[in-house]
Amino acid sequence: MASPSQVLAILLFLLLCFPLLVKPAPGENIAVGSVITADKSNREAAAWFSRSGLFAFGFYPVENEFAVGIWFVPNNTVIWTADRDSELLPESSKLNFTEDGLQIPSSNGDRSIANISTTNSVKLASASMQDCGNFVIQDVNNYIIWQTFDYPTDTLMAGQILVAGNKMVSSVSATDQSSGRFQMVMQEDGNYVAYPVNAPATSAHFYWSSNTSGDGYTGILLNEDGDLFPIRYPNATQNSTLLSSATYLARIEPDGFLRTYNISSNSMQLTKTLPADDFGVNKCSIKGACGPNSYCNFTATAAAADSISTGFFQGKADCLCFPGFDYTDWKNRYMGCQRNFSMGQFIKDNNISYSIAKIANISWSDDPYAYTDDTTEDECGESCSEDSNCYAALFFAHQRCSKQRHPLLYGRLSESTVAFLKVGSGEMPLPPQSSLGEIVDVVPKRKTLFFIFAVASALFFSVAVTIFFFYKNRSPSYQKLCRNMETGLAGGLAPRSFTHQQLVKATDCFTKSLGNGSFSTVFKGEIPLNNGEMMPIAVKRLDEKLSEETEKGFRTEMRAVGRAHHRNVVRLLGFCHEGPKWLLIYEYMSRGSLDNLIFPSDKTQALPSWKERANIAMDVAKGILYLHEGCETTIIHSDIKPHNVLVGDDGTAKIGDLGLAKLLRPRQSKTYTRQRGTFWYQAPEWCREASEPVSPKVDVYSFGVLLLELITCRTRFLGERVNDCVILTDLAYKCLMESKLEQLVPAGEDVDKVELKKMVMVALWCVQEEPGHRKSMKEVVRMLGGNMSVAFPPDSVF
Ligand SMILES: *[C@@H]1O[C@H](CO)[C@@H](O)[C@H](O)[C@H]1NC(C)=O
Ligand SMILES: *[C@@H]1O[C@H](CO)[C@@H](O)[C@H](O)[C@H]1NC(C)=O
Ligand SMILES: *[C@@H]1O[C@H](CO)[C@@H](O)[C@H](O)[C@H]1NC(C)=O
Ligand SMILES: *[C@@H]1O[C@H](CO)[C@@H](O)[C@H](O)[C@H]1NC(C)=O
Ligand SMILES: *[C@@H]1O[C@H](CO)[C@@H](O)[C@H](O)[C@H]1NC(C)=O
Ligand SMILES: *[C@@H]1O[C@H](CO)[C@@H](O)[C@H](O)[C@H]1NC(C)=O
Ligand SMILES: *[C@@H]1O[C@H](CO)[C@@H](O)[C@H](O)[C@H]1NC(C)=O
Ligand SMILES: *[C@@H]1O[C@H](CO)[C@@H](O)[C@H](O)[C@H]1NC(C)=O
Ligand SMILES: *[C@@H]1O[C@H](CO)[C@@H](O)[C@H](O)[C@H]1NC(C)=O
Ligand SMILES: *[C@@H]1O[C@H](CO)[C@@H](O)[C@H](O)[C@H]1NC(C)=O
Ligand SMILES: *[C@@H]1O[C@H](CO)[C@@H](O)[C@H](O)[C@H]1NC(C)=O
């Protein structure tokens, strides 16, 4: 990509910036013990300036308080902020440069900013604000211990590198530098991409991508021409000295665009915009410009046409709710919309009342749970109307009808599409909007409420559930909270609340037991729909005695399943909690749990065919992958086994029973809590020291065991000696080594030998003793799907 002369130019350029060894000029050196004071009337005393005076490090005002950061003095534009999401500081706060870092003394203990870490032997000696916009701290040997260039916020300065694995996150607004809604991420795979904060890192959510995945890039540099230039780090970070001045800055801005400015003339001139479509004018080209269930409508003003040459934004973008929805927050319309009625009323007295709204030339991010080709517009609307899973359908390209649940993401104007949306009719009005204020308040926030873009109604859900459980024990107005919860949930997949009486009726007094789960019994029931049909449901009644365990399981399951909306995860329809009674209502899976199918007690019962079993394996793998990677939070199921896999009429398998699930916070990859799943399927690390962390790899292990059981229709402990083995994993490995795989499948079964070998090898990769040796669920899905070759598994399964 880069010619030798370009590389040379970059290296020369880099020699100018990126100091590792700096000999600061007299006067700009900040010595240990230097103190600055937050003071609006005396900005000289509130900052340390660079030699040219163009950059300052110190206190900058935010309304009546202060934040610590770096700004470009001629324009007062902030390029870096320390601890941008923590609390602001009051007037006359002091910042003391000490041997250990930057301290803000206060009566209740010094606050240390920016986590500058020093070891005992290393003491800080000096700091300097450089003319390239970098603030560096050095030790007595002049080694750089810390520099702001290593911790970009929303801005990259010329010469600064965004290293793989790091990102820039936009600010809330020009005046509020806390983390906003969009990010530019330099991925480990060498691709650099822009997408909404909290959205999954998949191409469906990217609004800009460099498409350089696999090219070996390990960083991006804003080069001297103001171009973002991918580099292969660490080659490019040679020793260097100060850049004499800053020439450019690139910033991901509150509206999601990445804009580059020429600052060499001491003012800011826009030179480039990414994405460049529509010359960076159309805010609607940014995914996430409008929140869930709304669409972005851009109207170019007459002036916009002229402005295309200059690139300045002139048109007007507005976020509009889809029919049947109202703004979540009227003051911040970009936050998206929620249903304008509550789910409880949606299925009022078991009577679903809705109509279908039709709008032309509007579409959304197509992520259907089902689609049909070669259909007509009318059929499309009808098929959604008749399907209780369908909340909206999109008819496009004059032939395809794709049906979708909520939320509808990235709505926008389009051509030749027809959208159908289910709209409640004859509904009662919502409870007062104020209840939403409480919900939003739970989001951690520095000053003004701002919206962390949630990919799903998941956020509403989890927050509502938090509130629900927070108040449950203290507030008698449980009913009110249920209502709030439903409105908060208005995303459509919201579980509704049932009374115990309704469930007694639905289940015929809990007579038809379907089986037992962890701390629970499951019953069959049915609820009437308005067309006279009865909808079968599964009601899970949690044991009353184990109150603490029960409650924990209930909460966990609500949180886990409530976040999970996937074809291969059992859907939660509702819940009930009255006194000691805890119940969860699920969609009914007619063929029951997988163990009954593959280990039938009646030996004459036909086993599922090889093809069916292979499909089930893929379904389960996809379901687990979704739990691990598809949600905002990583969900570790921790009890994957055939008993917890349910199979529907059409043979689709779904994962159920999330009562033992663990939720990992974002960026947390392991947890230390433990709770035993089912011994047979447990990964070895469950049994080791309690100090050993548990990661999603425990599910991979259990899946490997399940996969072998599914292949062989035999349980893990064989109960007899087969080919000298008593344990299924040993047998599988032995048969693989001896090329006798046909011994593994039920006698006389006609199987695809290539597929069988692939599946056995995948399973053996999953049951590796060492978690690190196991494949991830993503790899498992790719291998099973034939999109990734499968290497011969190592022999460490014993
Ligand atoms: C800095 O410059 C930009 C672009 O010229 C301008 O939009 C912005 O308002 C300026 N900011 C200040 C504080 O002057
Ligand atoms: C500083 O460290 C604390 C605790 O380790 C962490 O929560 C915080 O995010 C860190 N801040 C920065 C700016 O890295
Ligand atoms: C700054 O920190 C040093 C060392 O911790 C301390 O001796 C000095 O008093 C502090 N100065 C102020 C103004 O707080
Ligand atoms: C990356 O690929 C997408 C889809 O093919 C394309 O729309 C986009 O323009 C490409 N980006 C760049 C920087 O080439
Ligand atoms: C980076 O260094 C490796 C070896 O260290 C070399 O093969 C490669 O060509 C270098 N790349 C650049 C862009 O200099
Ligand atoms: C970079 O600096 C280190 C010492 O920090 C020195 O050993 C090395 O030779 C320097 N490399 C170059 C290319 O100047
Ligand atoms: C950046 O601004 C300087 C000063 O106004 C000018 O000389 C230079 O040509 C500009 N660079 C570009 C690429 O526009
Ligand atoms: C988009 O906005 C324009 C002007 O604000 C309005 O006339 C038009 O009806 C809107 N389009 C849609 C589909 O809402
Ligand atoms: C909800 O929206 C639909 C269509 O937009 C409308 O007919 C209905 O009256 C609204 N309901 C309420 C309670 O506002
Ligand atoms: C259900 O709705 C239909 C039509 O809206 C109505 O005729 C019927 O009486 C309703 N049933 C109940 C139980 O409310
Ligand atoms: C939708 O777009 C098509 C093609 O752009 C146009 O012919 C049609 O009139 C539009 N429909 C509406 C209702 O705006």
Side-chain angles (χ1 to χ4, degrees):
M1 181 163 172
S3 71
S5 65
Q6 270 175 313
V7 171
L8 191 66
I10 289 167
L11 289 180
L12 279 176
F13 172 71
L14 281 162
L15 288 175
L16 298 173
C17 209
F18 269 93
L20 284 176
L21 270 170
V22 182
K23 295 188 181 61
E28 67 177 5
N29 197 356
I30 302 149
V32 161
S34 303
V35 175
I36 46 176
T37 309
D39 183 348
K40 255 192 201 141
S41 53
N42 184 357
R43 300 211 50 192
E44 293 286 322
W48 291 307
F49 289 83
S50 71
R51 191 163 22 169
S52 64
L54 292 176
F55 289 95
F57 178 98
F59 292 102
Y60 67 83
V62 182
E63 289 168 10
N64 291 318
E65 294 179 292
F66 290 85
V68 172
I70 300 176
W71 63 95
F72 178 56
V73 175
N75 182 275
N76 266 336
T77 202
V78 175
I79 61 165
W80 182 84
T81 298
D83 309 326
R84 65 199 299 211
D85 294 317
S86 57
E87 273 169 36
L88 292 171
L89 300 156
E91 174 108 37
S92 60
S93 295
K94 291 193 185 315
L95 180 65
N96 188 352
F97 176 48
T98 73
E99 281 187 332
D100 299 315
L102 295 166
Q103 310 284 350
I104 296 178
S106 94
S107 49
N108 37 354
D110 289 4
R111 177 169 144 194
S112 150
I113 74 154
N115 288 356
I116 297 159
S117 55
T118 54
T119 57
N120 290 337
S121 56
V122 178
K123 292 291 172 203
L124 305 179
S126 67
S128 58
M129 182 66 241
Q130 299 176 340
D131 277 334
C132 56
N134 189 15
F135 183 77
V136 300
I137 298 183
Q138 292 150 292
D139 67 5
V140 283
N141 301 318
N142 277 358
Y143 280 112
I144 293 190
I145 299 300
W146 187 87
Q147 55 181 341
T148 55
F149 269 18
D150 291 340
Y151 304 95
T153 51
D154 62 348
T155 307
L156 216 52
M157 301 301 295
Q160 189 174 357
I161 291 173
L162 184 68
V163 179
N166 289 1
K167 61 187 174 185
M168 297 191 278
V169 175
S170 68
S171 297
V172 169
S173 67
T175 51
D176 179 351
Q177 297 287 318
S178 48
S179 305
R181 299 189 290 146
F182 304 98
Q183 59 188 346
M184 172 121 217
V185 180
M186 176 68 212
Q187 301 189 139
E188 304 278 3
D189 66 3
N191 204 12
Y192 46 109
V193 295
Y195 58 104
V197 165
N198 288 358
T202 58
S203 56
H205 299 274
F206 298 159
Y207 57 81
W208 190 84
S209 164
S210 67
N211 305 327
T212 49
S213 167
D215 292 354
Y217 295 123
T218 51
I220 31 175
L221 162 76
L222 180 66
N223 74 8
E224 63 179 323
D225 298 324
D227 289 323
L228 276 184
F229 199 88
I231 52 163
R232 294 182 175 89
Y233 186 87
N235 299 40
T237 55
Q238 306 295 322
N239 301 351
S240 48
T241 52
L242 281 173
L243 176 69
S244 52
S245 68
T247 51
Y248 283 92
L249 66 84
R251 174 165 69 192
I252 181 152
E253 306 214 311
D255 61 7
F257 283 101
L258 187 99
R259 296 197 178 87
T260 307
Y261 296 91
N262 182 346
I263 54 169
S264 45
S265 58
N266 298 349
S267 67
M268 288 174 66
Q269 276 157 356
L270 183 68
T271 55
K272 276 196 187 87
T273 306
L274 285 183
D277 329 343
D278 302 323
F279 302 89
V281 170
N282 186 351
K283 287 194 185 197
C284 291
S285 62
I286 302 293
K287 284 183 179 169
C290 292
N293 306 318
S294 65
Y295 63 93
C296 189
N297 178 5
F298 177 74
T299 12
T301 57
D306 312 331
S307 70
I308 280 174
S309 52
T310 63
F312 280 104
F313 172 73
Q314 292 285 332
K316 186 170 152 292
D318 198 4
C319 296
L320 299 160
C321 289
F322 284 121
F325 292 85
D326 281 337
Y327 292 107
T328 311
D329 178 347
W330 280 90
K331 291 198 194 93
N332 295 305
R333 289 157 62 130
Y334 62 81
M335 281 179 49
C337 306
Q338 55 182 351
R339 286 201 99 118
N340 70 354
F341 54 88
S342 84
M343 284 306 288
Q345 288 145 11
F346 189 54
I347 315 178
K348 195 179 165 196
D349 300 324
N350 297 327
N351 204 354
I352 300 174
S353 50
Y354 54 74
S355 54
I356 292 273
K358 177 174 152 181
I359 28 174
N361 297 350
I362 287 176
S363 70
W364 49 77
S365 176
D366 191 37
D367 179 22
Y369 67 89
Y371 64 81
T372 343
D373 279 333
D374 301 322
T375 181
T376 67
E377 193 180 310
D378 290 346
E379 280 168 7
C380 187
E382 268 166 36
S383 94
C384 183
S385 170
E386 285 161 6
D387 179 350
S388 64
N389 280 320
C390 180
Y391 286 89
L394 193 60
F395 180 72
F396 58 102
H398 301 294
Q399 56 129 357
R400 173 170 285 199
C401 178
S402 74
K403 294 194 281 187
Q404 182 146 341
R405 300 196 180 107
H406 293 162
L408 304 173
L409 293 180
Y410 312 142
R412 61 187 184 277
L413 302 187
S414 61
E415 283 181 6
S416 310
T417 54
V418 182
F420 299 95
L421 293 112
K422 261 186 201 166
V423 178
S425 54
E427 298 296 341
M428 282 154 61
L430 274 181
Q433 279 287 326
S434 63
S435 59
L436 289 167
E438 292 168 23
I439 290 174
V440 175
D441 239 359
V442 180
V443 177
K445 183 51 201 108
R446 188 164 90 171
K447 296 175 290 282
T448 46
L449 296 177
F450 71 96
F451 180 66
I452 298 175
F453 184 86
V455 179
S457 46
L459 177 72
F460 291 127
F461 184 85
S462 53
V463 172
V465 170
T466 309
I467 288 181
F468 170 68
F469 286 112
F470 180 73
Y471 284 104
K472 177 186 68 76
N473 294 326
R474 17 189 121 189
S475 155
S477 58
Y478 167 73
Q479 283 305 322
K480 176 174 161 272
L481 286 157
C482 279
R483 219 170 43 235
N484 286 353
M485 182 168 165
E486 282 162 7
T487 53
L489 287 175
L493 279 170
R496 59 172 281 216
S497 81
F498 287 81
T499 64
H500 191 252
Q501 197 48 44
Q502 282 174 323
L503 295 176
V504 168
K505 194 168 158 223
T507 59
D508 259 348
C509 304
F510 299 103
T511 45
K512 288 172 266 179
S513 165
L514 293 170
N516 299 310
S518 39
F519 329 116
S520 62
T521 314
V522 183
F523 298 93
K524 187 178 177 187
E526 44 184 17
I527 50 174
L529 300 175
N530 71 328
N531 57 9
E533 273 178 35
M534 300 298 280
M535 176 163 92
I537 52 170
V539 179
K540 174 166 168 175
R541 188 173 67 180
L542 285 91
D543 295 350
E544 288 177 20
K545 284 185 207 118
L546 289 159
S547 64
E548 226 174 76
E549 292 280 81
T550 311
E551 193 173 326
K552 196 167 167 209
F554 184 86
R555 288 179 196 208
T556 309
E557 193 143 3
M558 288 282 284
R559 282 165 66 206
V561 190
R563 283 165 197 232
H565 307 310
H566 189 266
R567 179 175 170 273
N568 302 116
V569 177
V570 172
R571 195 149 76 92
L572 182 68
L573 303 172
F575 59 91
C576 166
H577 168 217
E578 287 176 14
K581 299 185 167 62
W582 301 83
L583 300 107
L584 294 163
I585 295 91
Y586 287 96
E587 61 181 313
Y588 174 70
M589 303 291 289
S590 61
R591 293 175 65 187
S593 66
L594 181 59
D595 56 347
N596 292 333
L597 297 179
I598 58 174
F599 317 133
S601 43
D602 173 5
K603 296 290 172 213
T604 59
Q605 186 186 319
L607 295 169
S609 71
W610 169 253
K611 193 157 186 301
E612 279 176 312
R613 299 200 319 269
N615 287 342
I616 289 173
M618 192 63 174
D619 281 350
V620 176
K622 282 183 179 165
I624 302 174
L625 171 62
Y626 174 77
L627 293 177
H628 287 181
E629 295 186 18
C631 311
E632 194 186 343
T633 316
T634 298
I635 301 171
I636 303 178
H637 184 288
S638 63
D639 198 14
I640 296 287
K641 55 179 177 179
H643 186 78
N644 289 339
V645 171
L646 300 161
V647 183
D649 247 346
D650 57 356
T652 307
K654 302 191 187 206
I655 297 170
D657 203 339
L658 279 85
L660 295 179
K662 313 259 172 298
L663 308 188
L664 298 186
R665 286 187 300 279
R667 272 174 273 125
Q668 187 190 5
S669 62
K670 292 168 176 169
T671 175
Y672 290 85
T673 50
R674 48 201 43 241
Q675 190 171 23
R676 283 168 187 276
T678 308
F679 175 71
W680 275 22
Y681 299 88
Q682 261 172 20
E685 61 267 30
W686 282 114
C687 316
R688 293 190 206 135
E689 294 296 300
S691 60
E692 196 162 325
V694 166
S695 73
K697 290 286 173 70
V698 300
D699 285 348
V700 176
Y701 186 93
S702 309
F703 174 75
V705 177
L706 179 143
L707 182 54
L708 286 176
E709 293 186 335
L710 196 54
I711 293 167
T712 58
C713 293
R714 281 172 175 276
T715 55
R716 182 179 187 184
F717 292 94
L718 297 168
E720 57 179 327
R721 213 164 255 283
V722 184
N723 197 359
D724 257 354
C725 299
V726 288
I727 296 184
L728 184 55
T729 40
D730 299 354
L731 177 66
Y733 197 79
K734 197 149 183 247
C735 291
L736 179 67
M737 294 294 287
E738 297 170 358
S739 300
K740 287 184 188 160
L741 288 173
E742 65 287 350
Q743 284 196 0
L744 288 175
V745 294
E749 187 169 55
D750 184 23
V751 303
D752 177 340
K753 294 226 168 54
V754 178
E755 197 177 20
L756 171 64
K757 182 169 177 194
K758 177 185 77 187
M759 283 170 68
V760 172
M761 292 202 297
V762 172
L764 290 172
W765 272 111
C766 294
V767 294
Q768 296 290 315
E769 177 91 20
E770 203 46 54
H773 293 171
R774 289 172 214 153
K775 298 287 178 187
S776 70
M777 258 352 266
K778 186 181 266 166
E779 290 167 311
V780 168
V781 168
R782 292 186 61 205
M783 291 189 297
L784 286 178
N787 300 325
M788 183 174 157
S789 57
V790 193
F792 202 88
D795 175 14
S796 67
V797 298
F798 305 110

